[in-house]
Amino acid sequence: MNDQQLLRYSRHILLDDIDIAGQEKLLAGHALVIGAGGLGSPAALYLASAGMGKITLVDDDTVDLTNLQRQIMHTTARVGQLKVESGRQALEEINPDIDIVTVAERVSDARLAELVSKASVVLDCSDNFATRHAVNRACVQHKVPLVSGAAIRFDGQISVFDTRRDDAPCYACLFPPDQQFEEVQCSTMGVFSPLVGIIGTMQAAEALKLVAGVGESLSGRLQILDARCMEWTSIRFARNTACPVCGAAHA
């Protein structure tokens, strides 16, 4: 690190758990962020400010006025722009020294696998089960840790799926792909503005810990937040040996 970087990241370097070695791991890291909306905004902003060396933003949508109630990476002046380009501008203003890559497309399984294979960590900030399962399959295939978050109305949840460990469950162990779950979206159900900030910021924290090798991740634990009363519930879960996704990887 040069003198400017030592100054910029000095408050991280002061932490014994991170120090210079951990910060250098972050600078060498690559975070793939799927979704540049409510969850992806705070997640990407904190990854950039913390010095994640490369951030790839994936989103095919444009900034809409209704997004601005919660998607803090975007501004009124950038309504109509691609979210990934608006996001790039916001991240570069925070930290011009990192590499921002934008992918303005709805990625296919093959393209997703290609992007995941190049990442140190993946943050799933999408809003539908189909994308979450596709991201999980790619992460299991390439053994890249996945930080998954979700938020709707006043309810949020977050977990980590790190199948680099043989005993770690994947997203499909918790939410089997053959089960029917209610598909709910902010556009029809609404969402409490700060909730996506809480969950997205936690996603950034888990991603930074994974890349820097700090502490214990949320692997095997689902954290559920009821923001009406600010009460957290923690649920532990194990790998399903018959899982159609990660079970085959361990066969």
Side-chain angles (χ1 to χ4, degrees):
M1 282 184 283
N2 58 39
D3 289 345
Q4 284 294 313
Q5 289 173 317
L6 288 169
L7 185 60
R8 178 185 286 269
Y9 306 120
S10 59
R11 300 307 188 269
H12 262 179
I13 293 168
L14 286 169
L15 298 171
D16 290 340
D17 286 349
I18 296 181
D19 206 343
I20 289 178
Q23 189 62 50
E24 287 178 337
K25 288 179 183 178
L26 295 179
L27 289 168
H30 177 192
L32 173 63
V33 181
I34 309 295
L39 297 172
S41 287
L45 289 170
Y46 268 107
L47 292 174
S49 66
M52 183 68 69
K54 183 174 182 179
I55 300 172
T56 297
L57 292 177
V58 181
D59 200 307
D60 68 339
D61 201 3
T62 56
V63 179
D64 185 85
L65 187 62
T66 61
N67 301 150
L68 302 183
Q69 165 253 12
R70 65 202 176 281
Q71 300 184 14
I72 59 173
M73 193 158 55
H74 312 302
T75 67
T76 304
R78 299 204 288 270
V79 168
Q81 285 189 20
L82 286 166
K83 285 185 179 178
V84 291
E85 292 305 325
S86 171
R88 183 213 295 269
Q89 183 175 335
L91 301 184
E92 287 179 344
E93 287 174 352
I94 290 174
N95 193 343
D97 295 331
I98 61 175
D99 185 15
I100 310 297
V101 177
T102 60
V103 180
E105 59 187 85
R106 187 171 290 275
V107 290
S108 64
D109 282 358
R111 178 75 165 122
L112 189 56
E114 176 192 352
L115 292 169
V116 168
S117 69
K118 299 174 182 176
S120 309
V121 64
V122 176
L123 291 82
D124 184 356
C125 303
S126 65
D127 62 358
N128 64 87
F129 282 110
T131 299
R132 291 171 189 150
H133 280 294
V135 172
N136 177 66
R137 288 193 299 271
C139 287
V140 170
Q141 178 186 354
H142 294 284
K143 292 191 179 298
V144 177
L146 168 63
V147 184
S148 180
I152 195 74
R153 295 184 290 254
F154 285 87
D155 304 312
Q157 64 183 42
I158 179 174
S159 189
V160 168
F161 306 96
D162 189 357
T163 53
R164 295 176 299 178
R165 290 169 35 194
D166 289 343
D167 63 337
C170 78
Y171 183 84
C173 293
L174 182 61
F175 299 105
D178 58 349
Q179 284 191 17
Q180 295 297 314
F181 296 96
E182 182 186 6
E183 197 77 81
V184 290
Q185 295 187 330
C186 299
S187 58
T188 56
M189 304 303 293
V191 63
F192 185 46
S193 173
L195 176 64
V196 293
I198 294 168
I199 301 299
T201 300
M202 289 182 68
Q203 286 183 265
E206 289 298 299
L208 292 166
K209 285 164 53 186
L210 285 163
V211 174
V214 172
E216 180 182 350
S217 80
L218 283 173
S219 179
R221 287 182 289 154
L222 177 67
Q223 294 290 114
I224 301 173
L225 174 63
D226 180 348
R228 296 172 191 83
C229 55
M230 282 300 168
E231 183 174 0
W232 286 97
T233 302
S234 184
I235 299 173
R236 291 193 174 271
F237 59 97
R239 187 172 77 83
N240 177 9
T241 56
C243 174
V245 179
C246 69
H250 294 281

PDB file of all heavy atoms in Angstrom, residues 80-95:
ATOM      1  N   GLY A  80     -33.346   7.302 -14.800  1.00  0.00           N
ATOM      2  CA  GLY A  80     -33.289   6.945 -16.218  1.00  0.00           C
ATOM      3  C   GLY A  80     -31.981   6.300 -16.630  1.00  0.00           C
ATOM      4  O   GLY A  80     -31.918   5.630 -17.664  1.00  0.00           O
ATOM      5  N   GLN A  81     -30.932   6.484 -15.845  1.00  0.00           N
ATOM      6  CA  GLN A  81     -29.646   5.840 -16.149  1.00  0.00           C
ATOM      7  C   GLN A  81     -29.689   4.368 -15.778  1.00  0.00           C
ATOM      8  O   GLN A  81     -30.476   3.934 -14.932  1.00  0.00           O
ATOM      9  CB  GLN A  81     -28.516   6.497 -15.353  1.00  0.00           C
ATOM     10  CG  GLN A  81     -28.069   7.847 -15.850  1.00  0.00           C
ATOM     11  CD  GLN A  81     -26.798   8.313 -15.124  1.00  0.00           C
ATOM     12  OE1 GLN A  81     -26.077   7.516 -14.544  1.00  0.00           O
ATOM     13  NE2 GLN A  81     -26.552   9.609 -15.153  1.00  0.00           N
ATOM     14  N   LEU A  82     -28.825   3.587 -16.397  1.00  0.00           N
ATOM     15  CA  LEU A  82     -28.635   2.210 -15.960  1.00  0.00           C
ATOM     16  C   LEU A  82     -28.159   2.223 -14.503  1.00  0.00           C
ATOM     17  O   LEU A  82     -27.299   3.026 -14.133  1.00  0.00           O
ATOM     18  CB  LEU A  82     -27.602   1.504 -16.834  1.00  0.00           C
ATOM     19  CG  LEU A  82     -28.044   1.112 -18.239  1.00  0.00           C
ATOM     20  CD1 LEU A  82     -26.832   0.746 -19.081  1.00  0.00           C
ATOM     21  CD2 LEU A  82     -29.033  -0.056 -18.193  1.00  0.00           C
ATOM     22  N   LYS A  83     -28.712   1.316 -13.705  1.00  0.00           N
ATOM     23  CA  LYS A  83     -28.319   1.282 -12.296  1.00  0.00           C
ATOM     24  C   LYS A  83     -26.835   0.997 -12.125  1.00  0.00           C
ATOM     25  O   LYS A  83     -26.189   1.533 -11.217  1.00  0.00           O
ATOM     26  CB  LYS A  83     -29.145   0.238 -11.547  1.00  0.00           C
ATOM     27  CG  LYS A  83     -30.572   0.665 -11.265  1.00  0.00           C
ATOM     28  CD  LYS A  83     -31.311  -0.358 -10.415  1.00  0.00           C
ATOM     29  CE  LYS A  83     -32.732   0.106 -10.139  1.00  0.00           C
ATOM     30  NZ  LYS A  83     -33.485  -0.901  -9.355  1.00  0.00           N
ATOM     31  N   VAL A  84     -26.277   0.155 -12.986  1.00  0.00           N
ATOM     32  CA  VAL A  84     -24.854  -0.171 -12.822  1.00  0.00           C
ATOM     33  C   VAL A  84     -23.974   1.040 -13.135  1.00  0.00           C
ATOM     34  O   VAL A  84     -22.915   1.215 -12.510  1.00  0.00           O
ATOM     35  CB  VAL A  84     -24.442  -1.381 -13.686  1.00  0.00           C
ATOM     36  CG1 VAL A  84     -25.087  -2.662 -13.170  1.00  0.00           C
ATOM     37  CG2 VAL A  84     -24.774  -1.175 -15.158  1.00  0.00           C
ATOM     38  N   GLU A  85     -24.402   1.886 -14.080  1.00  0.00           N
ATOM     39  CA  GLU A  85     -23.612   3.077 -14.394  1.00  0.00           C
ATOM     40  C   GLU A  85     -23.773   4.133 -13.307  1.00  0.00           C
ATOM     41  O   GLU A  85     -22.818   4.817 -12.944  1.00  0.00           O
ATOM     42  CB  GLU A  85     -24.008   3.633 -15.762  1.00  0.00           C
ATOM     43  CG  GLU A  85     -23.609   2.727 -16.918  1.00  0.00           C
ATOM     44  CD  GLU A  85     -22.124   2.396 -16.929  1.00  0.00           C
ATOM     45  OE1 GLU A  85     -21.302   3.262 -16.560  1.00  0.00           O
ATOM     46  OE2 GLU A  85     -21.775   1.258 -17.293  1.00  0.00           O
ATOM     47  N   SER A  86     -24.991   4.272 -12.782  1.00  0.00           N
ATOM     48  CA  SER A  86     -25.198   5.162 -11.643  1.00  0.00           C
ATOM     49  C   SER A  86     -24.386   4.679 -10.454  1.00  0.00           C
ATOM     50  O   SER A  86     -23.747   5.487  -9.747  1.00  0.00           O
ATOM     51  CB  SER A  86     -26.687   5.191 -11.285  1.00  0.00           C
ATOM     52  OG  SER A  86     -26.907   5.881 -10.070  1.00  0.00           O
ATOM     53  N   GLY A  87     -24.374   3.364 -10.246  1.00  0.00           N
ATOM     54  CA  GLY A  87     -23.598   2.785  -9.155  1.00  0.00           C
ATOM     55  C   GLY A  87     -22.116   3.004  -9.326  1.00  0.00           C
ATOM     56  O   GLY A  87     -21.403   3.321  -8.363  1.00  0.00           O
ATOM     57  N   ARG A  88     -21.640   2.835 -10.548  1.00  0.00           N
ATOM     58  CA  ARG A  88     -20.213   3.067 -10.813  1.00  0.00           C
ATOM     59  C   ARG A  88     -19.821   4.484 -10.422  1.00  0.00           C
ATOM     60  O   ARG A  88     -18.793   4.708  -9.780  1.00  0.00           O
ATOM     61  CB  ARG A  88     -19.897   2.844 -12.297  1.00  0.00           C
ATOM     62  CG  ARG A  88     -18.410   3.006 -12.626  1.00  0.00           C
ATOM     63  CD  ARG A  88     -18.199   3.564 -14.027  1.00  0.00           C
ATOM     64  NE  ARG A  88     -18.648   2.674 -15.061  1.00  0.00           N
ATOM     65  CZ  ARG A  88     -17.880   1.740 -15.656  1.00  0.00           C
ATOM     66  NH1 ARG A  88     -16.630   1.607 -15.287  1.00  0.00           N
ATOM     67  NH2 ARG A  88     -18.373   0.975 -16.609  1.00  0.00           N
ATOM     68  N   GLN A  89     -20.649   5.459 -10.796  1.00  0.00           N
ATOM     69  CA  GLN A  89     -20.343   6.858 -10.471  1.00  0.00           C
ATOM     70  C   GLN A  89     -20.278   7.052  -8.968  1.00  0.00           C
ATOM     71  O   GLN A  89     -19.363   7.704  -8.449  1.00  0.00           O
ATOM     72  CB  GLN A  89     -21.402   7.773 -11.083  1.00  0.00           C
ATOM     73  CG  GLN A  89     -21.131   9.245 -10.868  1.00  0.00           C
ATOM     74  CD  GLN A  89     -22.132  10.140 -11.582  1.00  0.00           C
ATOM     75  OE1 GLN A  89     -22.740   9.752 -12.580  1.00  0.00           O
ATOM     76  NE2 GLN A  89     -22.315  11.346 -11.067  1.00  0.00           N
ATOM     77  N   ALA A  90     -21.238   6.473  -8.247  1.00  0.00           N
ATOM     78  CA  ALA A  90     -21.264   6.633  -6.784  1.00  0.00           C
ATOM     79  C   ALA A  90     -20.035   5.995  -6.141  1.00  0.00           C
ATOM     80  O   ALA A  90     -19.417   6.582  -5.241  1.00  0.00           O
ATOM     81  CB  ALA A  90     -22.536   6.002  -6.227  1.00  0.00           C
ATOM     82  N   LEU A  91     -19.661   4.817  -6.586  1.00  0.00           N
ATOM     83  CA  LEU A  91     -18.528   4.110  -5.986  1.00  0.00           C
ATOM     84  C   LEU A  91     -17.205   4.796  -6.308  1.00  0.00           C
ATOM     85  O   LEU A  91     -16.317   4.875  -5.451  1.00  0.00           O
ATOM     86  CB  LEU A  91     -18.502   2.657  -6.455  1.00  0.00           C
ATOM     87  CG  LEU A  91     -19.743   1.818  -6.140  1.00  0.00           C
ATOM     88  CD1 LEU A  91     -19.523   0.372  -6.577  1.00  0.00           C
ATOM     89  CD2 LEU A  91     -20.112   1.880  -4.668  1.00  0.00           C
ATOM     90  N   GLU A  92     -17.074   5.288  -7.530  1.00  0.00           N
ATOM     91  CA  GLU A  92     -15.835   5.971  -7.908  1.00  0.00           C
ATOM     92  C   GLU A  92     -15.668   7.285  -7.151  1.00  0.00           C
ATOM     93  O   GLU A  92     -14.541   7.713  -6.876  1.00  0.00           O
ATOM     94  CB  GLU A  92     -15.814   6.213  -9.418  1.00  0.00           C
ATOM     95  CG  GLU A  92     -15.573   4.942 -10.225  1.00  0.00           C
ATOM     96  CD  GLU A  92     -15.570   5.177 -11.711  1.00  0.00           C
ATOM     97  OE1 GLU A  92     -16.049   6.250 -12.149  1.00  0.00           O
ATOM     98  OE2 GLU A  92     -15.105   4.290 -12.449  1.00  0.00           O
ATOM     99  N   GLU A  93     -16.772   7.923  -6.805  1.00  0.00           N
ATOM    100  CA  GLU A  93     -16.680   9.159  -6.019  1.00  0.00           C
ATOM    101  C   GLU A  93     -16.214   8.870  -4.600  1.00  0.00           C
ATOM    102  O   GLU A  93     -15.537   9.690  -3.977  1.00  0.00           O
ATOM    103  CB  GLU A  93     -18.040   9.873  -6.006  1.00  0.00           C
ATOM    104  CG  GLU A  93     -18.386  10.529  -7.333  1.00  0.00           C
ATOM    105  CD  GLU A  93     -19.786  11.110  -7.361  1.00  0.00           C
ATOM    106  OE1 GLU A  93     -20.544  10.867  -6.397  1.00  0.00           O
ATOM    107  OE2 GLU A  93     -20.116  11.798  -8.342  1.00  0.00           O
ATOM    108  N   ILE A  94     -16.570   7.693  -4.080  1.00  0.00           N
ATOM    109  CA  ILE A  94     -16.117   7.299  -2.747  1.00  0.00           C
ATOM    110  C   ILE A  94     -14.661   6.860  -2.776  1.00  0.00           C
ATOM    111  O   ILE A  94     -13.861   7.233  -1.926  1.00  0.00           O
ATOM    112  CB  ILE A  94     -16.995   6.159  -2.198  1.00  0.00           C
ATOM    113  CG1 ILE A  94     -18.384   6.673  -1.862  1.00  0.00           C
ATOM    114  CG2 ILE A  94     -16.365   5.522  -0.958  1.00  0.00           C
ATOM    115  CD1 ILE A  94     -19.350   5.583  -1.457  1.00  0.00           C
ATOM    116  N   ASN A  95     -14.322   6.026  -3.763  1.00  0.00           N
ATOM    117  CA  ASN A  95     -12.980   5.442  -3.797  1.00  0.00           C
ATOM    118  C   ASN A  95     -12.518   5.271  -5.243  1.00  0.00           C
ATOM    119  O   ASN A  95     -12.816   4.255  -5.882  1.00  0.00           O
ATOM    120  CB  ASN A  95     -12.977   4.087  -3.078  1.00  0.00           C
ATOM    121  CG  ASN A  95     -11.585   3.585  -2.803  1.00  0.00           C
ATOM    122  OD1 ASN A  95     -10.612   4.052  -3.391  1.00  0.00           O
ATOM    123  ND2 ASN A  95     -11.461   2.618  -1.909  1.00  0.00           N
TER     124      ASN A  95
END
